[in-house]
Amino acid sequence: MEVLNWLAAHAPLVFLFAAVALGYFAGKLKIGNFVLGGIAGTLVVGVILGQAGVTIDTAIKDIFFALFIYAVGYQGGPQFFRALSLKSLTQLLSAGVMCVLGLLTVLAFAWGFGLDRGTAAGLAAGGLTQSAIIGTAGETIQKLTVSADLKSVMETNIAVGYAVCYIFGSIGPILMITWFFPTIMRWDIRTEAIKLAEKMSGGAATLEPGQFDAAQRIDTRFYQLQPGTDWIGHPAQEMDVFYKDFAVEAVLRAGQEIDIDTVTSLQEGDVLALTGMVDALETTPQDFAREVPAPASYRLVLENRHIVLTSPDFADHTLQDIHDLTQSRAMRDVFLTGVKRMGRDLPLLPDLELHKGDELQVTGNPRDLNAVQKAIGYPISAAAVTDFIFFGIGMTLGLLLGLIEFRLGGVPVSIGSGGGCLLSGLLFGWLRGTHPRYAALPTGAVNFLRDFGLAVFVGVVGISAGPQVLTTLQEQGMSLFLFGIGVTLIPQLIGFFFSYYVLRIQNPIEALACVAGGRSANPGFAALLGKAENATPVVTFTVTYAVANVLLTLWGPLIVGLVSTNPAP
């Protein structure tokens, strides 16, 4: 005990990093299908370690929360502004209604049962599983004209409310999305996911001649031209243009590679290196050649490249449209093998519509990839170094926006540095998606800022609140838990039926994905993906999740402003 007291006095940061490490370890432990998660785990461990009376400078908490929330905004910027378009209007409204219902439910419990501002904010953070509310509400509490002791109690109550309500806040959406709604609507999630995939693929389960299906695995194989084939005497480029489901990568004659551009006529015995869809390579080439082993010591270099889509020529077009409209040789000979949006893999089906900011994985010859890259956007590798000029400007702008105040019911309210950095992150994320020369922040860097920033922030909150948490839990633990159940379930129930009957979002997979995204419920979305066994819910989820992440974060100051009750000193 003496060692702990000495560490608490001389090296308090030891407790912070121990809370992060042990919290993430605890967060990975499974109880059935439930996983607590690293952030909630860090808060709980932080509370336990905080019993040693550790004091950590609050500036650390503020800095890392600002970094976290800027990263959240930056990552969601392109998709958030995309969601504001008329095409996504119903999904946008669904997410907005769900978030407003969450706010109203929290306020109803706070007003009806006399909850103080801190407890109400914690109820929202846990019941709606939006950890950022802890920060935005805490910042607003610090600006209240009350004693420092009351501020400390309210901040402790935020942590308690979050910890008590978070567990069911995570489990509730899983139950509603994968069991309750499908049961009352008589939906089979897997069957409906298959139907939606078939709809997106035009109803075709297999490739038709000339049909583009990027979901098929590609391969490179070697074929030797047989006597009597019509291709003898024709240029290799002519074959490359004629066949749309594979590309002629190289021509080998007598064991030596010949540049395709110089091959004016193919000869009997020439070996062709063909890259394409596996199904196509197993059928079409058999008409004019026989498959042979790859020549000894010969190397054919192909490349996987990740490109961020910025070109208006490709944005807002489906994969099938792009395939049909593509004329250049380079575009025909490059294969799309993956699409990500906000870090999530999308279903590679012909009816999938691409958006600016999507990350495309393409495979092909480096020469062709260079040409394609110029037409599509910019490679991920080009953003391997953070643009610290724009990063510094973005953080500065966010902190300045957080200083703007207005009064709500006589209470000074502002979006704080958290809300300001969120808006600034959205702006600079959008800027990066539309003007790729500016505001580079690599995917790995933004993920680190987001995850580590939140972990440090929550760890400091837990450690600081530790000494008061047990007392508060004893006073209102069970009632708070029941309030959390209400905050978790009521918005989902009303929001689902509103979206289904009023907004007419009636495709089962899209309707369930709207619930997951509008509630910012990552565990519920993961469970939906598991039941669907394909990626069809991803597109709808990314739109609603981007909107919900912003709105729920901004609820923190509103709750503090609209709940007038202060805790007893």
Side-chain angles (χ1 to χ4, degrees):
M1 199 61 195
E2 291 182 3
V3 174
L4 291 178
N5 291 334
W6 186 88
L7 285 174
H10 295 86
L13 293 183
V14 169
F15 289 84
L16 174 58
F17 286 98
V20 173
L22 295 174
Y24 268 79
F25 175 77
K28 291 182 177 181
L29 301 178
K30 284 189 174 182
I31 303 175
N33 291 324
F34 175 71
V35 179
L36 182 62
I39 298 304
T42 299
L43 179 67
V44 172
V45 172
V47 167
I48 295 172
L49 295 180
Q51 304 305 314
V54 184
T55 301
I56 296 178
D57 190 343
T58 56
I60 294 176
K61 176 182 68 174
D62 298 337
I63 291 170
F64 278 92
F65 182 73
L67 292 173
F68 152 71
I69 208 68
Y70 179 84
V72 169
Y74 184 93
Q75 214 164 30
Q79 192 61 28
F80 174 77
F81 286 106
R82 171 71 198 178
L84 301 180
S85 70
L86 291 176
K87 286 186 177 180
S88 305
L89 182 60
T90 55
Q91 295 176 356
L92 172 65
L93 288 174
S94 175
V97 167
M98 187 79 73
C99 292
V100 171
L101 287 170
L103 173 64
L104 294 177
T105 306
V106 170
L107 293 176
F109 280 108
W111 293 334
F113 294 92
L115 303 182
D116 68 85
R117 291 162 168 158
T119 302
L123 173 63
L128 300 175
T129 56
Q130 184 63 17
S131 306
I133 292 176
I134 301 174
T136 55
E139 285 183 331
T140 306
I141 285 173
Q142 286 302 316
K143 296 179 180 179
L144 296 175
T145 54
V146 297
S147 68
D149 289 341
L150 279 179
K151 291 178 183 178
S152 176
V153 171
M154 282 189 277
E155 288 199 310
T156 297
N157 289 349
I158 295 177
V160 172
Y162 177 80
V164 170
C165 301
Y166 180 84
I167 294 178
F168 189 82
S170 296
I171 296 176
I174 296 175
L175 297 175
M176 300 295 282
I177 292 167
T178 63
W179 171 71
F180 182 76
F181 291 134
T183 298
I184 63 172
M185 301 300 289
R186 298 182 181 179
W187 291 337
D188 182 280
I189 294 178
R190 175 58 182 157
T191 300
E192 298 298 338
I194 293 173
K195 289 180 182 178
L196 182 57
E198 290 178 350
K199 178 183 177 182
M200 295 181 71
S201 65
T206 58
L207 287 172
E208 300 294 336
Q211 183 180 7
F212 175 63
D213 185 357
Q216 295 294 314
R217 183 175 62 86
I218 67 169
D219 198 4
T220 298
R221 299 182 183 180
F222 293 82
Y223 297 86
Q224 187 173 47
L225 288 177
Q226 296 302 293
T229 175
D230 294 338
W231 286 111
I232 293 177
H234 288 265
Q237 287 183 328
E238 190 175 317
M239 177 187 290
D240 198 41
V241 172
F242 182 81
Y243 291 106
K244 292 182 173 61
D245 42 10
F246 60 79
V248 181
E249 299 288 359
V251 177
L252 288 81
R253 183 171 296 164
Q256 299 296 317
E257 182 176 348
I258 305 173
D259 188 351
I260 293 178
D261 296 332
T262 65
V263 181
T264 57
S265 61
L266 294 170
Q267 298 178 9
E268 179 184 332
D270 284 351
V271 175
L272 310 179
L274 306 181
T275 299
M277 307 302 177
V278 172
D279 288 355
L281 292 177
E282 290 178 348
T283 55
T284 306
Q286 312 303 327
D287 296 337
F288 57 83
R290 66 181 180 88
E291 188 171 359
V292 296
S297 73
Y298 175 73
R299 293 202 317 167
L300 178 64
V301 178
L302 297 181
E303 181 184 345
N304 283 321
R305 191 174 297 182
H306 296 262
I307 302 175
V308 175
L309 173 62
T310 60
S311 170
D313 295 333
F314 291 86
D316 301 326
H317 289 282
T318 66
L319 297 185
Q320 186 66 56
D321 291 340
I322 293 171
H323 180 260
D324 293 341
L325 294 172
T326 296
Q327 299 298 325
S328 71
R329 174 189 174 278
M331 291 299 297
R332 288 195 306 272
D333 290 353
V334 166
F335 297 88
L336 181 67
T337 53
V339 178
K340 284 189 175 182
R341 184 172 297 159
M342 292 179 66
R344 302 182 186 278
D345 292 313
L346 301 183
L348 290 176
L349 298 168
D351 200 36
L352 174 67
E353 184 177 273
L354 298 179
H355 297 168
K356 281 187 177 181
D358 286 349
E359 179 185 324
L360 312 184
Q361 179 179 319
V362 290
T363 302
N365 186 291
R367 176 185 59 183
D368 295 331
L369 289 176
N370 289 336
V372 167
Q373 176 180 302
K374 294 177 181 178
I376 294 177
Y378 65 92
I380 297 295
S381 58
V385 178
T386 298
D387 186 338
F388 281 104
I389 296 175
F390 277 89
F391 177 71
I393 293 173
M395 293 296 296
T396 301
L397 176 62
L399 294 173
L400 290 175
L401 289 173
L403 297 176
I404 300 173
E405 283 190 3
F406 61 94
R407 303 193 76 81
L408 188 65
V411 176
V413 174
S414 73
I415 59 174
S417 60
C421 287
L422 176 66
L423 297 178
S424 176
L426 287 169
L427 175 62
F428 280 80
W430 169 82
L431 176 66
R432 178 62 179 170
T434 54
H435 301 283
R437 294 184 180 181
Y438 309 109
L441 190 59
T443 302
V446 74
N447 286 342
F448 175 78
L449 289 176
R450 182 196 65 197
D451 297 339
F452 187 62
L454 182 58
V456 170
F457 168 76
V458 168
V460 175
V461 168
I463 290 172
S464 301
Q468 295 85 28
V469 163
L470 294 180
T471 301
T472 307
L473 275 176
Q474 290 173 351
E475 293 176 354
Q476 53 187 24
M478 182 53 66
S479 60
L480 195 55
F481 179 75
L482 294 176
F483 297 158
I485 293 177
V487 168
T488 297
L489 298 183
I490 293 172
Q492 292 182 81
L493 283 167
I494 300 175
F496 172 81
F497 290 110
F498 179 85
S499 298
Y500 188 84
Y501 290 108
V502 178
L503 299 179
R504 311 298 291 176
I505 302 176
Q506 297 189 336
N507 179 277
I509 300 301
E510 292 176 348
L512 295 173
C514 279
V515 175
R519 255 298 320 277
S520 190
N522 280 305
F525 173 65
L528 177 59
L529 279 181
K531 292 284 187 178
E533 297 182 33
N534 63 28
T536 50
V538 175
V539 179
T540 302
F541 177 80
T542 54
V543 173
T544 51
Y545 179 80
V547 174
N549 244 7
V550 175
L551 293 181
L552 291 177
T553 300
L554 296 177
W555 286 174
L558 282 179
I559 291 170
V560 174
L562 293 171
V563 176
S564 59
T565 307
N566 289 326

